[in-house]
Amino acid sequence: MTTTQQLVPLRGVKQSPLEELFTSGHRTCQGCESALVMKLMIKAAGPRTIVLGSTGCMYVANTTYYSTPWVVPWMHTQLGSSGSAALGTAAGLKALMRKAKMKDEPINVIAFCGDGGGADMGLSAISAALTHNEYNLLILLYDNESYANTDIQVSGSSPWGANSTFSPPGTLHRIMNRRWKKNTAGMLAAGHPQARYIATGCASYATDMMNKVRKALTIGGPTFMHTLDPCPKGWDYDPMYSHELGVLAVQTGIWVQYEVEDGKITLNGPSKVLARGKKRLPVEEYLKRQGRFAHFTPEDVAYFQSQIDEMWEKWWIPGVVPPGPQDP
Amino acid sequence: MTTETRVGPLETEELISGSEAIARACALADVDVITAYPIRPYDTVMQFVSKLIANGELTCEYIVAESEHSQFEIVKHASAVGARVFTGSSGVGWFYAFEALAVTCGLRLPMVAMVGNRALDDPGAFGCEHNDALAVRDLGWLLNWAATAQDCIDTAFLAWRVAEDPRVFLPCAISTDGAFLTHSQQIVKVPDRSLVDKFLPPYDRGKFQLHPDNPITIAPQVNEDWLMEIRRQTDAAMRRARDVIIEAHQEFVDIFGRGGDPFLEEYMTDDADVVLIGMGTLALPLKVTVRRMREKGHKVGFIRVKWFRPFPGPELLELLPRFKAVGVIDRDYSLGSPLNGGVLFNEVRSIMYSAPERVPIIGFVAGLGGREITIPSTRQMFEITQKAADEGGTDQELHWIGVRE
Amino acid sequence: MATYAVEVVYRGIFQKSLSRNICRSIVLASRLEGKIGTAFGRYGDSPERNGIPAKYFAVVAGDPVELEEYLAQYEPTEVDVSIVVDDTLCKGVESWAWYGLQPINALTKPDGAVLVTSYQEPEQLKEDIHVKDQPYDLAILKGSKSFSGLWVYKDDHTDVRILGALARICPDMVGLDSYKEAILQQWGDQRKVTSAERAFERVRRSPVEPGEGNPAEPFSFDLPGWEVMEEALVIPGIEPGGGFRGGEGGFEPVRSSVFKKFSTRTMRPVVNFETCTKCTLCWLQCPDSCFDVTPDGLYDANMEACCGCGVCEDVCPVPDCITMVGEEAFSDNDSQHDHWRRDRDDYMGWLRDKIALGKSETRSHGFHHVGQYDEESQTVEVGYDD
């Protein structure tokens, strides 16, 4: 069986590979954190990688015909197809290599999807891919919390109450999105015993994110990553604060950084410190920076805070595993 | 159970169904990636494929997908890295994959799919109708219809050969009538691997192969500045497919010693006054009826359309004007279309507009939902067509045959 | 009457509501004069990307038949007035929907007008605006770039001030009184009417002669035919990069040869190489991979790739090491690091000058905190331009 590339962990920012494999030619928004995720993802993975991109911002804005930012081979796949694209590419390579129709070497296969493609439409294909432990592949869900490409419509991964073109606050209904954000990585971790590695990340913590990509690719097997990407377009803030908002999402405890390696769950980085009792920043610090929450009343902020508090105080593992039966 | 009789060093005779014939073709063509998902009646092919794999007679990556959409997306991506692929579906399953069916053409990715023709839901029905496969007729799929189990295995080799030709690079669907081909066993000549190797070169994706040694970007988003040119390219590929099919058929005949004409199978048409045209297994009752009517002195014949895309327009245009009337049998419907006829009927009428003389053309919708196209019903169709020939035309150009009034 | 068309060239998302307000108001006001019109965003520019140039159009005709005649070509190929709501767009427009740099006056009719909100003088703007072989007017309405958020509208009256200025420079399309009435109907705010009136008084126009302006040949791109285009939707990837300036050490990515980010910026980073601690953060956190890495570990922002987001300034831990400066302060896209290596003292002088210029007005845009726009609107003086 084809082995994987051995990508050693980067010890600090100074060890970040200089090589850029995602350069210019993309037409994403100013301050696009998802573009940064792409850059870091491929910087971590290196040149012997095939990237499959499902429909979304990182397709439409990144690769507009005749220009591409990709140095590595890249191919579009359909909105719900990140799982199938990863599976098909990995299976094709494996078949050709084992039949000696292609040089046998470890080639990284990464398929990415947005929250619409991953947490909504493509969930079943991702789930299927994560049951195939005979293939080495990584599926990366870049989550900017809306269908930002198509004009910012609410997705199953949008936060409660957020303004979007499908959930605009109005005179009768202030809160149009009454759904709480899906726990996508946690759900996939719980449901796929053969997934070798599942992690969350955030480009604001670049080395951590790159190391998670490297660990996933080194471990091989079906792996999954979910990043939270501040989106100046859909979240409505000055683009220069993309990095800060990523940090705030983690430090308020709204976004939890963790990895699940062969079933073992570890909170890491600032999330680990929060779990040990460090005081979380109030969610208001994060919410009030974004136009998508500008219609929130103090009660809305308090509700949001209470849900985050419950996640940290009552869940078995904050952000990953919900509460179990109460102790007798 | 299969009975094998060795009739020569380079082929064996076996009693197998159309589905099994195609499964055997997968092994002989050394297919690299196969995806399966259950739906009747096509899924019989995957039951044979999985058995061949389990017994070591076929080596490939075999993935049971979680939906038809994924089934087709997986092989699409495997094809992009250079793998020979096979998949298939039926009825609404084929429709569930529709998005993938559309994009594969634009991507110019060769793929061979078996469509076990099946009626579309609702209501759920397992029987044969051609509307499933025909739904992709405008998109760039190569479409053909098999008539026998022998056809199934032969057409499969042709399908990979044509689809993977760099002048074409388009997906190809082999339509097999549900039940009649998928579930019934016939004596089939299964060729030796050496013959297949001679006919079918390895798939070479060339400069379009997605691989770190060839860092290309495939299918970036386009706007109105680009798409017409791209459609024109796919159109050119479909036009080139005609010549590639003719070339491949000729070579097939040379190597395997069977196959006939590339686009049309003619049966007793030489001196015929009236002919019926159709696709798939209805050839069987038609041929019987032609023989019986000929015995009684009726000059009738039958034409089976083998390739629907590319459409054999030039062949039909050359052939049909010499008849006094033509009947077209559709195992499909196209509701609200011109004359409320079927798809094949309207296509034949369309090409015949270019004919110097107008031949009366009658449409028959028959055999829907797997209902048998019987010998009496085919005789009825000939009679209606003969009447139009005798009278030089007709008031009623479209008939539903075999429907309870 | 004649049919009139105007375009608003704006920064995607940030100024979407602003440009829509302008174009809708033109049509609504024209209706008060018994005319008829239509307003629409350029479909090819959507979905918009924030900061990336986009266009909105308004067309006004005397009657429905006239309007239909005009709209037979859906997207206007020439306009009476090109409205520019961010003066850095005077350097040209490269939408995400097309290739090549379109001069800001490309659609302006002979003897039409380019109307810009700006604090720059005509001579300064003409350094940016490409030459045209027909005369037109350059009209300037003093004002800042009116960047608003998407979900929250920053009402600094720029919308109605544009209408007042339009009444002055294109009076036959719609007159001031109709604009005033349309403003009251839409917003019921007398202060906005006053702002429009003052803009009517204060807009300044000066003639631009053929051949006057920026002589540079705009970056262009020829669309290939279908037989020349590669098949199977394949385009070549970007070539791998290598050492800084082709030498040993450092790293310089290869940049796209067909899409440059020259017109996507309203500001750009200037770097103090003397105080840089080589912490890597600007380079690592840049979503546009715009920093070339020098052999000695400094980071040189490459203006072919920078879209001016400002993340680098935000993440830089050294005070004033990276400063975002308004794009109007620059007339070239040259390497700052090359300049610094060539003549450190000259570079440091240049840097101080640019920072002084850049800090003279609000450098960044968009929504910072809940209530911000309300606070700012309290400080908006009616017709605040001078």
Side-chain angles (χ1 to χ4, degrees):
Chain A
M1 178 167 156
T2 312
T3 55
T4 60
Q5 293 179 38
Q6 300 303 300
L7 303 166
V8 296
L10 309 169
R11 306 199 182 284
V13 285
K14 298 269 185 188
Q15 284 192 1
S16 310
L18 285 183
E19 196 171 11
E20 302 286 7
L21 300 170
F22 174 87
T23 76
S24 77
H26 63 90
R27 304 175 180 215
T28 53
C29 294
Q30 294 172 353
C32 174
E33 202 75 344
S34 297
L36 180 59
V37 166
M38 295 294 116
K39 173 181 120 163
L40 297 174
M41 170 191 90
I42 197 61
K43 187 183 273 293
R48 302 303 284 177
T49 303
I50 293 175
V51 181
L52 297 318
S54 72
T55 309
C57 285
M58 291 302 101
Y59 167 49
V60 177
N62 253 341
T63 40
T64 44
Y65 192 80
Y66 234 66
S67 78
T68 177
W70 295 101
V71 176
V72 295
W74 184 93
M75 180 178 174
H76 174 227
T77 193
Q78 294 310 109
L79 181 56
S81 292
S82 55
S84 304
L87 211 45
T89 305
L93 293 174
K94 190 175 176 188
L96 294 172
M97 286 178 191
R98 70 193 267 217
K99 292 183 180 184
K101 295 180 185 178
M102 179 186 278
K103 187 185 153 214
D104 193 353
E105 62 164 325
I107 294 174
N108 298 324
V109 174
I110 305 178
F112 65 74
C113 52
D115 47 305
D120 284 352
M121 188 190 270
L123 195 56
S124 77
I126 292 172
S127 168
L130 293 182
T131 61
H132 282 275
N133 65 355
E134 71 271 36
Y135 301 119
N136 297 323
L137 54 91
L138 166 63
I139 296 163
L140 187 147
L141 192 165
Y142 67 93
D143 184 358
N144 53 23
E145 300 196 321
S146 78
Y147 289 82
N149 177 59
T150 44
D151 266 350
I152 317 164
Q153 293 91 348
V154 65
S155 82
S157 205
S158 295
W160 180 87
N163 195 343
S164 83
T165 55
F166 277 6
S167 59
T171 49
L172 180 60
H173 301 293
R174 187 181 65 261
I175 300 299
M176 284 286 280
N177 178 33
R178 294 160 186 279
R179 299 188 288 164
W180 198 260
K181 183 182 175 74
K182 273 187 197 178
N183 175 13
T184 305
M187 149 177 50
L188 292 174
H192 300 83
Q194 287 184 306
R196 299 288 316 282
Y197 181 75
I198 284 175
T200 60
C202 178
S204 297
Y205 301 89
T207 305
D208 177 71
M209 198 210 113
M210 286 195 286
N211 279 336
K212 284 169 172 170
V213 170
R214 288 166 80 85
K215 191 187 266 188
L217 295 170
T218 302
I219 289 173
T223 57
F224 176 82
M225 263 189 79
H226 186 172
T227 63
L228 181 75
D229 309 355
C231 168
K233 175 182 175 181
W235 299 13
D236 193 5
Y237 61 85
D238 187 316
M240 80 188 312
Y241 299 124
S242 286
H243 174 82
E244 282 187 35
L245 280 162
V247 171
L248 279 172
V250 173
Q251 295 191 338
T252 54
I254 292 171
W255 182 249
V256 184
Q257 302 264 63
Y258 62 89
E259 48 188 352
V260 186
E261 197 175 339
D262 284 328
K264 185 170 175 291
I265 301 170
T266 323
L267 298 197
N268 69 306
S271 301
K272 182 162 119 189
V273 183
L274 292 180
R276 286 178 181 162
K278 189 192 172 197
K279 199 166 160 38
R280 278 172 279 123
L281 290 177
V283 296
E284 188 172 6
E285 297 293 308
Y286 173 77
L287 302 178
K288 76 177 184 187
R289 296 281 294 272
Q290 305 169 49
R292 62 176 173 160
F293 300 120
H295 57 290
F296 269 24
T297 62
E299 293 73 36
D300 297 333
V301 174
Y303 173 71
F304 206 107
Q305 183 70 60
S306 72
Q307 295 299 107
I308 300 302
D309 290 346
E310 184 180 308
M311 180 172 87
W312 283 89
E313 289 155 16
K314 297 192 177 154
W315 283 31
W316 274 12
I317 302 169
V320 196
V321 185
Q326 294 297 310
D327 291 332
Chain B
M1 182 172 169
T2 308
T3 39
E4 291 192 20
T5 317
R6 186 156 287 276
V7 293
L10 292 177
E11 63 185 28
T12 54
E13 268 190 5
E14 300 184 25
L15 179 62
I16 53 178
S17 69
S19 292
E20 187 169 5
I22 291 177
R24 297 294 298 275
C26 287
L28 289 165
D30 189 26
V31 172
D32 299 311
V33 178
I34 296 177
T35 54
Y37 187 83
I39 185 170
R40 284 166 64 90
Y42 113 92
D43 66 337
T44 42
V45 75
M46 295 307 176
Q47 298 177 29
F48 292 113
V49 158
S50 54
K51 197 81 183 159
L52 288 172
I53 294 168
N55 290 335
E57 293 171 61
L58 165 56
T59 305
C60 70
E61 295 306 307
Y62 168 67
I63 296 171
V64 179
E66 100 297 349
S67 72
E68 285 91 355
H69 185 275
S70 291
Q71 231 191 316
F72 281 78
E73 284 289 277
I74 290 167
V75 289
K76 179 191 93 181
H77 283 280
S79 181
V81 298
R84 173 169 289 165
V85 299
F86 174 74
T87 188
S89 195
S90 288
V92 288
W94 175 252
F95 275 50
Y96 199 82
F98 213 103
E99 179 187 45
L101 303 184
V103 299
T104 303
C105 304
L107 287 163
R108 303 284 302 285
L109 283 167
M111 164 193 301
V112 172
M114 170 180 164
V115 181
N117 295 120
R118 167 178 171 164
L120 298 166
D121 294 3
D122 253 350
F126 299 137
C128 174
E129 272 176 22
H130 292 172
N131 278 82
D132 49 6
L134 284 170
V136 299
R137 66 183 182 270
D138 301 328
L139 305 180
W141 275 80
L142 306 163
L143 296 175
N144 60 53
W145 260 264
T148 61
Q150 185 69 56
D151 244 10
C152 287
I153 193 166
D154 293 353
T155 308
F157 300 132
L158 277 162
W160 279 298
R161 164 86 183 245
V162 175
E164 293 170 358
D165 189 299
R167 292 167 288 179
V168 179
F169 276 161
L170 286 172
C172 181
I174 307 164
S175 274
T176 56
D177 287 350
F180 306 113
L181 271 184
T182 54
H183 286 66
S184 60
Q185 298 154 48
Q186 303 164 8
I187 296 293
V188 173
K189 293 188 175 89
V190 178
D192 187 78
R193 174 78 185 260
S194 63
L195 284 185
V196 178
D197 285 347
K198 210 169 151 192
F199 175 70
L200 186 59
Y203 170 36
D204 181 1
R205 188 66 179 150
K207 62 184 174 178
F208 303 141
Q209 185 181 31
L210 193 68
H211 189 277
D213 291 341
N214 184 40
I216 50 175
T217 284
I218 301 178
Q221 172 87 8
V222 301
N223 63 9
E224 69 276 12
D225 284 339
W226 300 99
L227 197 54
M228 259 191 98
E229 286 69 26
I230 287 164
R231 294 285 181 255
R232 183 68 184 84
Q233 289 180 330
T234 314
D235 165 70
M238 181 57 92
R239 292 180 196 224
R240 288 193 295 267
R242 269 190 64 80
D243 293 336
V244 175
I245 287 170
I246 292 166
E247 187 183 298
H249 262 271
Q250 188 51 55
E251 220 171 297
F252 189 92
V253 172
D254 293 345
I255 291 172
F256 296 93
R258 60 176 177 270
D261 290 335
F263 290 103
L264 303 175
E265 180 191 354
E266 293 180 55
Y267 189 73
M268 294 192 175
T269 56
D270 283 349
D271 62 341
D273 288 336
V274 301
V275 292
L276 290 179
I277 303 175
M279 302 195 294
T281 53
L282 56 76
L284 187 63
L286 259 301
K287 285 177 182 174
V288 173
T289 305
V290 166
R291 281 200 299 270
R292 291 187 186 172
M293 288 181 73
R294 285 246 166 205
E295 283 164 12
K296 292 182 178 164
H298 301 289
K299 289 162 103 177
V300 295
F302 172 67
I303 298 166
R304 182 171 72 89
V305 171
K306 296 159 80 172
W307 288 87
F308 182 79
R309 285 289 182 268
F311 191 73
E315 288 75 11
L316 290 170
L317 190 56
E318 195 189 323
L319 182 62
L320 298 187
R322 73 166 193 254
F323 304 116
K324 290 179 180 154
V326 172
V328 183
I329 311 168
D330 274 285
R331 201 160 212 156
D332 63 80
Y333 49 88
S334 178
L335 305 182
S337 70
L339 297 168
N340 303 301
V343 174
L344 184 62
F345 169 64
N346 275 308
E347 298 258 336
V348 171
R349 274 174 59 89
S350 169
I351 190 67
M352 292 309 289
Y353 190 82
S354 305
E357 302 285 333
R358 285 289 152 77
V359 178
I361 301 175
I362 320 287
F364 301 104
V365 174
L368 299 186
R371 184 163 297 180
E372 281 208 55
I373 295 178
T374 59
I375 288 171
S377 68
T378 54
R379 187 180 296 119
Q380 186 191 355
M381 292 185 236
F382 271 120
E383 284 163 359
I384 293 169
T385 311
Q386 182 67 54
K387 187 160 178 281
D390 297 342
E391 296 173 1
T394 176
D395 293 339
Q396 192 184 348
E397 289 165 292
L398 197 279
H399 300 258
W400 281 56
I401 301 295
V403 65
R404 281 191 305 280
E405 300 293 345
Chain C
M1 68 170 264
T3 303
Y4 294 89
V6 302
E7 62 174 342
V8 180
V9 187
Y10 66 99
R11 294 284 175 195
I13 299 290
F14 296 135
Q15 298 183 311
K16 185 179 186 174
S17 303
L18 172 65
S19 53
R20 188 177 52 218
N21 280 356
I22 293 168
C23 289
R24 283 178 53 80
S25 297
I26 292 168
V27 175
L28 292 171
S30 77
R31 200 72 189 130
L32 298 171
E33 298 181 358
K35 297 166 183 166
I36 189 161
T38 179
F40 56 97
R42 188 179 183 278
Y43 184 69
D45 293 332
S46 74
E48 287 177 18
R49 312 290 164 193
N50 64 9
I52 310 296
K55 287 191 179 191
Y56 224 100
F57 295 100
V59 179
V60 172
D63 59 55
V65 174
E66 262 185 28
L67 184 64
E68 206 174 275
E69 293 275 337
Y70 191 94
L71 290 176
Q73 161 90 44
Y74 182 68
E75 191 175 319
T77 50
E78 55 174 23
V79 295
D80 295 271
V81 186
S82 299
I83 299 164
V84 189
V85 284
D86 170 1
D87 60 356
T88 61
L89 285 164
C90 288
K91 294 186 175 191
V93 187
E94 192 173 8
S95 150
W96 79 272
W98 70 65
Y99 288 94
L101 190 72
Q102 190 185 78
I104 193 69
N105 54 12
L107 302 193
T108 316
K109 272 183 183 165
D111 298 317
V114 173
L115 168 61
V116 189
T117 55
S118 179
Y119 287 123
Q120 296 189 71
E121 295 300 321
E123 293 313 312
Q124 290 174 287
L125 286 177
K126 276 190 268 184
E127 284 176 21
D128 290 338
I129 300 176
H130 293 82
V131 294
K132 200 171 166 71
D133 54 10
Q134 304 276 358
Y136 64 96
D137 282 354
L138 175 60
I140 299 177
L141 181 64
K142 280 196 179 170
S144 64
K145 301 167 188 61
S146 176
F147 285 140
S148 120
L150 178 71
W151 304 125
V152 189
Y153 186 57
K154 177 181 182 175
D155 191 1
D156 59 4
H157 294 195
T158 298
D159 43 16
V160 296
R161 298 179 71 241
I162 292 284
L163 299 178
L166 271 179
R168 185 62 174 271
I169 61 178
C170 193
D172 295 339
M173 179 170 71
V174 178
L176 183 61
D177 288 344
S178 306
Y179 283 130
K180 284 158 64 177
E181 198 180 330
I183 291 166
L184 273 181
Q185 283 180 359
Q186 287 183 84
W187 289 284
D189 184 347
Q190 190 59 47
R191 297 190 330 145
K192 293 196 79 156
V193 174
T194 308
S195 283
E197 284 172 333
R198 292 199 181 161
F200 179 83
E201 296 299 331
R202 291 171 184 177
V203 62
R204 298 285 172 261
R205 65 201 288 189
S206 53
V208 182
E209 299 304 323
E212 210 182 335
N214 176 1
E217 189 67 31
F219 166 64
S220 67
F221 180 82
D222 291 327
L223 294 166
W226 71 272
E227 287 168 303
V228 177
M229 286 163 61
E230 187 56 278
E231 299 205 36
L233 311 181
V234 165
I235 62 169
I238 300 265
E239 294 287 321
F244 185 72
R245 302 290 184 262
E248 294 288 310
F251 189 82
E252 187 173 334
V254 173
R255 264 65 185 228
S256 171
S257 60
V258 290
F259 182 64
K260 310 290 182 188
K261 298 211 165 177
F262 299 141
S263 69
T264 61
R265 292 190 291 273
T266 55
M267 52 183 190
R268 71 169 69 169
V270 291
V271 182
N272 185 344
F273 299 104
E274 310 277 349
T275 58
C276 171
T277 60
K278 307 179 183 180
C279 75
T280 78
L281 286 179
C282 60
W283 165 75
L284 196 60
Q285 292 290 330
C286 174
D288 294 78
S289 313
C290 96
F291 288 92
D292 295 340
V293 187
T294 72
D296 44 356
L298 293 168
Y299 300 97
D300 187 24
N302 186 312
M303 289 304 124
E304 282 191 28
C306 170
C307 72
C309 66
V311 166
C312 52
E313 182 192 64
D314 191 49
V315 297
C316 179
V318 180
D320 294 328
C321 176
I322 297 181
T323 310
M324 297 305 290
V325 171
E327 189 63 19
E328 57 274 12
F330 304 93
S331 55
D332 61 46
N333 293 303
D334 297 346
S335 158
Q336 295 167 22
H337 184 262
D338 286 0
H339 185 176
W340 178 70
R341 286 287 297 239
R342 207 166 46 238
D343 187 338
R344 290 187 175 204
D345 291 342
D346 187 66
Y347 178 78
M348 294 307 288
W350 177 90
L351 185 67
R352 275 190 297 275
D353 290 350
K354 294 300 178 196
I355 291 173
L357 269 175
K359 283 198 163 168
S360 67
E361 68 169 288
T362 310
R363 289 164 301 144
S364 62
H365 35 246
F367 184 92
H368 294 187
H369 61 271
V370 170
Q372 171 204 346
Y373 292 163
D374 287 341
E375 290 160 22
E376 286 179 0
S377 72
Q378 300 305 312
T379 67
V380 170
E381 264 187 68
V382 176
Y384 67 99
D385 53 10
D386 43 10

